[in-house]
Structure formats: structure tokens, C-alpha cells
Amino acid sequence: MWFSRESLAVVGVLLLTVGIRAIKLDQPIVENYVGRQIPTAMVARNLARGSGFLRPQLDTAPLPNLFLVEPPLYALAAASLQRRTGLPLEASGRLVSALAIALGGWGLHGLAKRRLGGRPALLALAAFVIFPVTVRYGRSFQPDALMIGLLVAGMRCWDDYEAGGRLFWLGLGVVLIATGLAIKIVAASILIPLVTVILRPRWSWKIALVVSLMVPALLWYWHAASLLSAGAGSRASADNGAIWLRVLIPTALFRPETAVHVARFLLRSFTPFGLALALLGLRPPRAGDRLWTVWGASTLAALAALAGKLHHEYYWLMFAPVMAVGVGKGLDHLIVRRRAFGEIAGAGLLGLALIQSWSTWKTPVEWSSLAEAARAIQANVPQAAWVAAPEALLFASDRRGCRMEFTASAAKRAAGEWGDVLDSEGPLALVEFYRIQGARYVADVSTDDPNRLALHEAIRRRYKVLVDRPGILLAVLIDPQDELDGTR
């Protein structure tokens, strides 16, 4: 036979990995963390329209608004897949993330099989691809899944080279890891297990090669800093840089809410069954466990350094490979000792993972009228006119404009991106500020948020309403009385 039973099982799991994430590919990208998906999709669409890789652009003013958080490699992959397949951009981005998780699963299986054997490796692969965190972000329009997929696959390629493989595997490993680090440099902790465990022996040229893996990322941030120093774009990127500098001061590590985030996301990202099995499998290490011990310790240290960001679940993707190996070992241990217990635990993990992931295939009620609202804007707003609206609505309607915010503090920050301050507090003051900056329309979707409902009432009283029905509020930013006075 060309393939062993184990190889067929691995291929089947990887195909299923992509398949379950490809369900509802046409779903609007407004589930999970919208504030990361929509800007990434804006960059991808503008890349497809020729904006240029070195100046990734958003559709929110002040323009040009450059999105310099990381190189737009994921956005470029989504735009490229769209051109080659004809799929909608949102579906292309979801598919890139799904394929990335499959790539990471391939890498994890190879690393685990060499050290633990066939059955624990296959169980680890299965755990990796069903974890709620890899399901959620493995179908999101954001770069985190691509980052973890490239890094884990790159580690396997380098490991294969060190085990006596061809130079091709080393070259591929270098490219994959360097690209993954360029996408998310915060995952640089993966270089510690690479140097201390995988390199055999640790010759100086190998160490130099590992150090060089950071060069693409560092070159990007040098480029971004040069753009910011030249005053390119809005103040948003500079503000993000300042936020990141504050995050690196680990004061958040000692706040009670950080411990709450850690406990919540360990259970939400990996399920209670997964956490218990991982603790069983990662108990005092045995032979063959050194890679996972070092990998886990370095990742936990990195997450501790990023304590101020741990309210974002996608950072826990960095820990998913180690947790998956722990689950694989834990399940294997139960199967060896009491097969029935192992099968029950495995079924419980699968069932709970599906239950905890189920919401990712459902569009939140808040955005249920997004498509209808987008059509209303397209029918009533000229292509070149600016609209003040939530970012997701701007993207769905393919219009540029100003990002709406619905609390006083968020409105203040939004105005700050223009280097200005609001005359008064609140979202209505932000709408008026945007009118002065050049916005001609304001729009929002249906909602039960009291802040937004209050803003809707204020808009009805102050501006000329064009569309006001369940699903959409659209108004021209002109006072009806002023319009009446102008006709006299």
C-alpha cells in the first residue's frame, strides 16, 4: 500500500480541519474579535486594488490611514487567493486561516511522532484542530492562525533536517519561521526551544541563522518607524506603538483581572476537559518531553510579558501546540491504563469543544442586519462620500469614512487620532466632529445597546434622516433647519 493506516488517518484529520472551518465561508466577518478582522480585511481589499505592500491602508479617516501593526502578509495571502479562486474576499481570508491551522497540525504531528510515537502524536493532532481557540481563529480574517501554522510547520521542517534530512527542509524551515515571526513578532519565544532542543549540534552558523529569522520583522518595524517619523498617516499607529510600549512594562501581571483572564481563556480556549487532560499529560516530564517542557515554559514567559494583552483570546494560540501535546499524552495514558476512560475523555473533549466553538458559525444579533444596511448605504451614498459608521459597516458597504464610537472615552480616543480633541464629550460630539472633518453621512445598524440607541435618537433630532427602518439608520450630516434656511 502507498499509505499506512496512520498516514491515512493524519490526512483525514487534516482534511476535516479545513472542512469544518470552511462551513459558512460566506458568513460576514463580524464574529469573535471584530476589531481585528475588519481592519485586516480593509488592508486586504486595498492591496487587491493596488495600494502597495509597504503602505497598507485602512478605509477609515484620517486618510491615508496606514495599518503598520505588522507586515500585511496575511492580507496579501487573502487577496492573492481571492484573485486566483474568484471567491469573495471574506471567504478567501477564512480559507487562508483554515489552511494555516491544517499546516500547523501537520507540523505538530511530525514533531510529536518523533518524540512520543504514533498514537500520542495522532491524538495531539486531533486535540490541536478541535480546540475552540484554533476553531475560532482558524476561520477568522486575521493573521494569528497563519502565524501559528507557519511557525509550527517551520519547527517540524527544521527538526526533520536535524534528524538527517535534506538541506531543502532547513531552507523551508527558515522561510516558514521567518515569515511567521514577521506576521506576529510576539511569538519570538518559539526560538528558545528551537535553539535549545531542536538544533543538534548547536554550531555557531546555526545560531546565526536562528538570529537572522528576526530580520524580516525588524526591517518592517524600522520601515514603520520611518513612516511614522515622517508624519505619514493618522496618529493611530503611533498610539498603538505607545500602547505596546506600556504593555511591555508587566504591571498588568499583578492585577486581579489578569488572573481572571488567564483562568477564563484556559477554560474557553482549550475546554475544561482539555485543560485536565493536558495537566495529566504534562505532569513531571519523562524521556522525549524536553521539547514540550521548554516550549511551554518559554511561551508562558512570553504570555506573562504580554499580560496587558491577555484579554484577547487569540494570544492563547501560542500555547495551543503544547496543550495539544499534553492532551495527546494524557489521552494515551488513559487508553493504556483504562481504555474505556480514555474513550470517554476523548468523546467528552470533542463534544465540549464543539459546543464551546458553536457560536463562531453564528453571526451575532448585533450584526444581523449588516447586509441590509450595507445595501442601503450603497443605494443612497455616492462612492466618494465619507460615512461615519462602525468599521464593519464601512467595510460591508465598500465606503470610506470615519469610525464610529459609542462611549465618551472611545469617542475621545477616535478624535485623538486626528490630533484633536472634542469640544464636548460623547458619541454625538464625535459625529459632529466628523462632519467638520468632511463626513457627509452617518449610519448604524439595529442594536439594543443603550448608548447607541441614545445616539440614534440624537441623530434623528439633529440631522436629515434618509433611511430609518429596522436594520438601518442612515442620515445626511446636515441640520434640517439649516437646509430649510438655505432654500429661502
Side-chain angles (χ1 to χ4, degrees):
M1 294 182 62
W2 289 356
F3 298 102
S4 66
R5 183 178 300 177
E6 180 184 340
S7 298
L8 290 173
V10 171
V11 170
V13 171
L14 295 179
L15 289 175
L16 187 61
T17 299
V18 178
I20 62 173
R21 289 160 178 80
I23 296 171
K24 296 184 69 174
L25 271 182
D26 59 346
Q27 180 184 347
I29 50 173
V30 289
E31 84 288 359
N32 301 322
Y33 191 49
V34 180
R36 194 65 174 85
Q37 292 197 77
I38 297 298
T40 308
M42 286 181 174
V43 168
R45 186 162 64 190
N46 287 326
L47 283 174
R49 293 173 175 174
S51 64
F53 182 85
L54 295 178
R55 295 176 67 87
Q57 295 184 23
L58 299 174
D59 292 329
T60 48
L63 302 174
N65 192 349
L66 304 184
F67 192 66
L68 302 171
V69 176
E70 68 257 336
L73 292 163
Y74 172 83
L76 181 63
S80 299
L81 186 61
Q82 179 199 27
R83 285 196 300 268
R84 285 165 172 75
T85 63
L87 287 170
L89 181 63
E90 298 94 317
S92 298
R94 290 191 186 280
L95 197 52
V96 168
S97 293
L99 292 168
I101 293 297
L103 179 64
W106 171 84
L108 181 65
H109 179 264
L111 289 165
K113 184 178 179 181
R114 177 163 286 126
R115 290 162 177 82
L116 305 175
R119 186 168 62 190
L122 185 60
L123 293 170
L125 168 61
F128 179 75
V129 303
I130 67 169
F131 280 154
V133 70
T134 66
V135 172
R136 274 191 280 272
Y137 296 99
R139 61 184 310 274
S140 291
F141 203 118
Q142 61 188 83
D144 303 87
L146 184 57
M147 172 271 294
I148 198 67
L150 291 173
L151 290 179
V152 179
M155 292 282 278
R156 172 179 177 166
C157 291
W158 202 315
D159 191 50
D160 286 348
Y161 166 76
E162 295 289 347
R166 294 179 296 156
L167 192 62
F168 165 80
W169 291 111
L170 176 61
L172 184 57
V174 167
V175 170
L176 292 176
I177 295 175
T179 305
L181 291 177
I183 291 173
K184 300 285 282 191
I185 198 172
V186 294
S189 60
I190 203 169
L191 299 181
I192 296 175
L194 175 61
V195 170
T196 60
V197 181
I198 288 182
L199 297 192
R200 314 186 284 276
R202 288 189 288 274
W203 290 331
S204 57
W205 69 266
K206 293 182 181 180
I207 302 297
L209 192 56
V210 170
V211 173
S212 74
L213 298 175
M214 298 285 289
V215 170
L218 295 176
L219 285 175
W220 174 261
Y221 290 109
W222 172 81
H223 166 68
S226 66
L227 288 176
L228 292 175
S229 64
S234 75
R235 293 176 54 88
S237 292
D239 292 344
N240 284 334
I243 291 170
W244 267 103
L245 288 176
R246 290 196 296 271
V247 166
L248 295 178
I249 302 173
T251 53
L253 190 61
F254 307 103
R255 298 174 189 159
E257 56 266 31
T258 301
V260 173
H261 290 317
V262 170
R264 176 185 174 219
F265 284 131
L266 281 173
L267 296 173
R268 173 180 160 87
S269 301
F270 308 110
T271 79
F273 265 111
L275 180 59
L277 288 167
L279 291 174
L280 175 64
L282 295 173
R283 67 192 188 284
R286 300 184 296 275
D289 284 357
R290 185 164 175 259
L291 175 62
W292 320 114
T293 301
V294 175
W295 195 330
S298 61
T299 303
L300 286 175
L303 291 173
L306 298 170
K309 287 285 188 178
L310 293 186
H311 56 287
H312 295 314
E313 184 184 16
Y314 51 83
Y315 282 95
W316 291 93
L317 273 172
M318 295 166 55
F319 203 45
V322 177
M323 290 292 289
V325 168
V327 170
K329 291 178 59 185
L331 277 175
D332 184 65
H333 174 77
L334 289 178
I335 289 171
V336 170
R337 295 293 182 90
R338 295 287 297 272
R339 186 179 185 87
F341 284 175
E343 291 174 350
I344 292 170
L349 172 61
L350 176 60
L352 196 53
L354 290 175
I355 291 171
Q356 291 187 214
S357 304
W358 196 252
S359 62
T360 195
W361 285 282
K362 294 186 176 182
T363 299
V365 173
E366 172 190 1
W367 298 110
S368 59
S369 63
L370 181 63
E372 178 190 356
R375 287 191 294 270
I377 291 175
Q378 290 168 344
N380 291 276
V381 177
Q383 184 72 45
W386 282 10
V387 185
E391 279 185 311
L393 184 52
L394 287 174
F395 176 79
S397 58
D398 194 10
R399 293 295 186 269
R400 290 189 164 192
C402 304
R403 187 184 78 246
M404 277 301 302
E405 296 292 353
F406 302 100
T407 64
S409 59
K412 182 179 179 180
R413 286 195 304 272
E417 293 182 7
W418 298 71
D420 212 331
V421 294
L422 296 178
D423 292 334
S424 58
E425 290 190 354
L428 185 62
L430 181 64
V431 173
E432 183 62 17
F433 173 81
Y434 284 153
R435 184 188 68 79
I436 295 170
Q437 303 305 321
R440 290 295 170 260
Y441 298 84
V442 60
D444 197 13
V445 296
S446 296
T447 179
D448 57 3
D449 183 334
N451 290 320
R452 292 168 76 167
L453 291 174
L455 176 61
H456 292 182
E457 284 301 317
I459 289 171
R460 292 184 182 102
R461 291 193 300 268
R462 181 159 186 166
Y463 302 114
K464 180 181 178 181
V465 174
L466 293 180
V467 182
D468 189 2
R469 61 174 185 262
I472 172 66
L473 174 66
L474 174 64
V476 182
L477 289 179
I478 181 171
D479 190 310
Q481 186 61 44
D482 291 344
E483 183 183 43
L484 182 62
D485 292 344
T487 63
R488 291 173 178 171

